[in-house]
Amino acid sequence: MSLPESELIRREYVLRDLQFLSDVKLARRSLVRWLALSLGLISPNESRTLILDVLDALFCFHFKRIEPDMVQIIEEVDKMRGAKTGEKAIRYHVGQLKKSGIIESRKRHYRFVPSPQQEDYDLVAGLEYAYSQNAKEAFEKIRKAAKSLERSY
């Protein structure tokens, strides 16, 4: 009998400690890719680039202190790509980022999740908060499971 383990996963975070080489800083696209790899949003050698364009658009809005709606995100991604992109695919990536807890929507406007202890536009504090909250919740469950396992011996 197989267990439906994939259905049990609420969130999954991968955090990578990548070397930050000087050539990464030469192009914005390289920085976006480096951040996506570091945050586990793409896999090494990932060839699909739409998530990078979505992130790039969200970073652009974030640093301009704009909370875009979905139409604005789609328009920005299309502008970056120089062509119409599948709206459904962009919505999927935004949804995945929201599901992971990295971004949130308020009144159908999107932003990176802010840290409660920092100002709204501190990107790294918000990302650190989102990842540490997930780790904290995961370890609370791991602690319960380990205690149950210990009682079984």
Side-chain angles (χ1 to χ4, degrees):
M1 179 175 116
S2 67
L3 296 172
E5 293 167 334
S6 63
E7 294 174 13
L8 301 176
I9 299 171
R10 292 183 53 230
R11 287 190 188 128
E12 185 174 9
Y13 281 85
V14 173
L15 196 57
R16 297 185 183 98
D17 183 8
L18 298 178
Q19 291 182 4
F20 189 59
L21 303 174
S22 59
D23 61 339
V24 169
K25 298 182 235 177
L26 297 178
R28 186 176 82 198
R29 186 72 173 179
S30 296
L31 286 166
V32 171
R33 184 172 181 83
W34 189 91
L35 285 166
L37 274 165
S38 292
L39 295 170
L41 301 175
I42 62 172
S43 300
N45 303 315
E46 181 75 47
S47 61
R48 295 173 291 176
T49 60
L50 183 56
I51 182 64
L52 299 178
D53 295 324
V54 171
L55 275 174
D56 197 2
L58 290 169
F59 288 144
C60 178
F61 286 119
H62 175 81
F63 293 123
K64 291 179 181 177
R65 298 185 179 208
I66 297 170
E67 294 182 7
D69 61 21
M70 186 60 72
V71 171
Q72 291 171 298
I73 295 169
I74 292 166
E75 288 172 353
E76 186 66 22
V77 170
D78 287 347
K79 186 173 95 177
M80 289 176 171
R81 293 189 140 215
K84 280 277 194 193
T85 307
E87 182 180 324
K88 187 175 179 181
I90 293 171
R91 287 180 183 277
Y92 169 80
H93 286 298
V94 169
Q96 290 300 106
L97 291 170
K98 187 177 173 188
K99 183 178 173 185
S100 72
I102 293 172
I103 65 171
E104 66 182 9
S105 65
R106 294 185 314 173
K107 298 180 182 174
R108 298 184 187 207
H109 285 79
Y110 295 87
R111 69 178 185 163
F112 286 96
V113 172
S115 168
Q117 297 87 4
Q118 302 294 324
E119 65 178 74
D120 282 350
Y121 292 96
D122 187 340
L123 176 67
V124 176
L127 291 170
E128 185 177 6
Y129 172 75
Y131 278 71
S132 64
Q133 281 299 109
N134 185 65
K136 183 179 176 182
E137 291 171 14
F139 273 101
E140 285 174 9
K141 294 174 186 127
I142 291 168
R143 184 173 287 107
K144 288 178 186 176
K147 284 182 181 181
S148 294
L149 180 62
E150 182 180 5
R151 284 191 295 266
S152 75
Y153 285 102

